[in-house]
Amino acid sequence: MRIDIVTIFPGIFESPLRESLLGRAIGAGLVDVRVHDLRDATADKHRQVDDESYGGGPWMVMKSEPVFAAVEGLGAGERRTLLLSPARRRLDQALVRELAAEPWLVLICGRYEGVDERVRARVHEEISIGDYVLSGGELAALVIVDAVARLVPGV
């Protein structure tokens, strides 16, 4: 199983992906987890990934262009792309089993006050890990990776 994580904070994943059961599964090649810095997919010298909301309001949202470039840069192939968000479908064991059956997952870690609406239109679905708000999708991505990896044969 391959899991790609798109984030503006790739350092958050370093230790959890090396430790415990998950670290051993990755080391054994049972799960292939790749973390991508969203800023590497930007086209400007400041590596900007946020912008003002087009609908107005004082908050910032993640720009669509870097997200599209990052996901497209992962290569061709059938994959299930998920946006981690405090809204929408709640993660439960049935969904974890469903995700574990996929050969390739792409997890987009939301930040700020959300993402440009065009991103929502290009993902398969939004996933929430609970009825609360985190500062970003990185911890939610780790929860999903850990839960899904446990169901991979051999792990």
Side-chain angles (χ1 to χ4, degrees):
M1 160 170 262
R2 175 177 168 179
I3 303 173
D4 286 272
I5 302 169
V6 178
T7 175
I8 62 171
F9 294 112
I12 289 174
F13 297 90
E14 291 173 10
S15 177
L17 295 179
R18 285 194 319 260
E19 303 294 332
S20 190
L21 183 67
L22 188 53
R24 288 192 302 274
I26 292 168
L30 299 170
V31 181
D32 179 11
V33 180
R34 304 174 191 187
V35 180
H36 307 275
D37 188 339
L38 181 62
R39 294 184 193 281
D40 292 341
T42 59
D44 68 301
K45 69 178 183 176
H46 300 293
R47 301 178 66 195
Q48 186 175 355
V49 297
D50 64 329
D51 201 356
E52 293 179 4
S53 171
Y54 289 109
W59 54 83
M60 302 295 279
V61 296
M62 289 179 67
K63 294 169 62 172
S64 62
E65 296 85 355
V67 174
F68 297 158
V71 173
E72 290 167 8
L74 299 175
E78 191 170 329
R79 59 184 168 227
R80 186 163 171 183
T81 304
L82 308 172
L83 173 62
L84 303 173
S85 161
R88 309 290 193 256
R89 187 172 179 189
R90 174 99 41 95
L91 185 71
D92 59 17
Q93 193 62 27
L95 178 54
V96 169
R97 281 191 295 276
E98 187 180 315
L99 296 175
E102 297 284 342
W104 186 5
L105 297 175
V106 176
L107 307 178
I108 300 170
C109 299
R111 274 278 161 177
Y112 310 112
E113 293 298 319
V115 297
D116 182 302
E117 288 299 316
R118 292 172 287 183
V119 172
R120 286 190 166 90
R122 302 228 339 227
V123 299
H124 291 97
E125 63 188 309
E126 292 182 59
I127 302 293
S128 169
I129 63 164
D131 195 18
Y132 47 87
V133 178
L134 298 170
S135 56
E138 289 78 14
L139 297 177
L142 283 168
V143 167
I144 291 171
V145 170
D146 186 76
V148 167
R150 294 176 55 79
L151 298 181
V152 171
V155 175

